[in-house]
Amino acid sequence: MTLTEQLDAFAPDDEHRFPCTQCGADFRFAPGEGKLICDHCGAEELIEGDGYKTHPIKELDFRAAIDAELPEQEIEETRVLQCPNCAAQVEFDEKDHAAECPFCATPVVTDTGTHRHIKPRGVLPFSLDERSARKAMTDWLGRLWFAPNGLQDYARKGRKMQGIYVPYWTFDADTKSRYDGERGTIYYETRTVTRDGKHVQERVQKIRWKRVSGRVARWFDDVLVLASRSLPKRYTDALEPWDLAALEPYRPEYLAGFRAEGYTIELEEGYGEARQHMARVIERDVKFDIGGDRQRIHDIDTAVSDVTFKHVLLPVWLAAYKYRGKTYRFVVNGRTGRVQGERPWSAWKITIAVILGLIVAAGVGYLIAINQ
């Protein structure tokens, strides 16, 4: 079985399959249309509640989750494929026996591994279809002059991109902070100095420091943390911002025809990253509260309360190509079309550019020489 055939076998699992009521074939979610479509007979079915919230997305209590006290209905168990190369966990169909990891293009023999995890509470549906995502990727590659032509051609003619729902945590928290520091006020003194045997006056900047203390408070809403290690964080961070206000309450219909990645960064570790983000924002708030021209912070003591969270799925179009023994990965924001990926380099294009640069430099040098 070729890699392409293996990838074609890597189909969505039964939980995300919705049979057409007319012909029995599988529906798929149509990005940007808010409905399920049967490619076999053309039947359509609207997703109830699409485009508006039928009820608010429920936040879950962080401490209850850490203490394993969440209600059982908030937990589910799914069958997953775990890639031995990048450790991605992706749901798959029980009938599949061989596949290719969509994140790094590594061939994988499937097993019967399961993943017990907190259910998603929200999903941001795809609004870009595969054709639009591929165009965004190839346009991005086309702007990289030093990219190998072979990779560009391969990407344009290659197999379809994979639509993946990537797991994230969001955290809400109420924070109240006390701080001690110093406020610096800039002033100038005039002094006389000797330069080249002459006495001259100059202004010297000084800073007058004053001890200060105070309090700041901030409510954090939807601090977003990637819950996966399968893609470089610099790629997924560069896909931001995400329109979290458009999150829909989770419905499996949105996943019809797509894959969903299981989270591999646990809740407590994700909260640790969220706290680092909060600490940076609180430090900025403290500096603003101190005021003055300069600020020194000696201590910040923050009390955090009312911590809640939710597990959400965000849409990413993904392409992973093996080209001349190297894997190149490209990700496209499934809502905005923003692209990130490996920065490929073509040795011969770089060589030509260097030679042309030397020729131009030599020509400029020759013209200067004959005009002197």
Side-chain angles (χ1 to χ4, degrees), residues 69-316:
E69 296 177 354
L70 283 180
E72 189 62 28
Q73 63 264 28
E74 300 297 343
I75 307 298
E76 67 180 358
E77 189 171 276
T78 56
R79 191 164 182 263
V80 297
L81 173 152
Q82 181 160 336
C83 176
N85 182 45
C86 70
Q89 290 189 0
V90 185
E91 297 177 21
F92 71 107
D93 189 355
E94 293 185 3
K95 70 180 178 60
D96 296 337
H97 300 290
E100 182 178 305
C101 175
F103 291 93
C104 66
T106 298
V108 179
V109 176
T110 62
D111 54 25
T112 57
T114 58
H115 184 213
R116 181 176 171 82
H117 58 255
I118 299 169
K119 289 180 180 179
R121 298 299 305 175
V123 58
L124 190 60
F126 279 88
S127 61
L128 292 181
D129 59 17
E130 192 272 340
R131 178 179 298 178
S132 299
R134 174 174 292 279
K135 182 179 185 304
M137 182 190 70
T138 54
D139 288 348
W140 181 80
L141 275 172
R143 293 191 293 270
L144 304 179
W145 193 86
F146 287 110
N149 288 337
L151 176 62
Q152 294 175 333
D153 293 340
Y154 183 62
R156 291 187 181 98
K157 301 175 183 177
R159 59 178 177 267
K160 289 185 176 181
M161 302 182 75
Q162 293 285 301
I164 307 284
Y165 280 102
V166 177
Y168 281 79
W169 301 112
T170 74
F171 295 93
D172 293 1
D174 189 26
T175 65
K176 293 179 174 59
S177 305
R178 299 178 58 183
Y179 69 84
D180 292 300
E182 294 178 83
R183 178 189 302 118
T185 302
I186 294 176
Y187 67 97
Y188 293 89
E189 291 182 350
T190 301
R191 67 182 182 184
T192 302
V193 297
T194 302
R195 290 191 186 136
D196 299 327
K198 297 180 180 179
H199 297 294
V200 296
Q201 290 186 330
E202 66 176 13
R203 296 180 72 208
V204 180
Q205 179 179 293
K206 300 280 188 177
I207 301 177
R208 182 180 296 109
W209 293 100
K210 179 182 178 181
R211 290 297 296 263
V212 294
S213 62
R215 300 171 183 265
V216 296
R218 177 176 284 271
W219 167 258
F220 287 93
D221 182 42
D222 282 347
V223 176
L224 190 65
V225 176
L226 177 67
S228 166
R229 292 187 174 89
S230 53
L231 288 171
K233 194 171 182 301
R234 66 183 185 276
Y235 293 175
T236 53
D237 285 352
L239 294 182
E240 296 181 12
W242 293 95
D243 182 15
L244 297 184
L247 279 169
E248 292 284 349
Y250 175 80
R251 295 178 63 94
E253 290 92 332
Y254 290 119
L255 275 62
F258 295 94
R259 302 217 63 84
E261 183 189 6
Y263 61 78
T264 52
I265 293 178
E266 297 296 328
L267 178 64
E268 192 165 11
E269 182 181 353
Y271 176 66
E273 184 175 334
R275 282 288 288 119
Q276 292 177 19
H277 168 81
M278 293 177 195
R280 291 191 294 270
V281 175
I282 291 170
E283 181 177 335
R284 185 190 64 193
D285 289 347
V286 167
K287 288 183 176 180
F288 182 81
D289 197 64
I290 289 174
D293 301 311
R294 299 284 190 275
Q295 301 84 31
R296 288 175 177 167
I297 298 174
H298 299 311
D299 180 63
I300 300 177
D301 182 19
T302 298
V304 184
S305 61
D306 299 328
V307 181
T308 58
F309 76 96
K310 58 183 177 290
H311 171 204
V312 300
L313 301 175
L314 303 186
V316 172

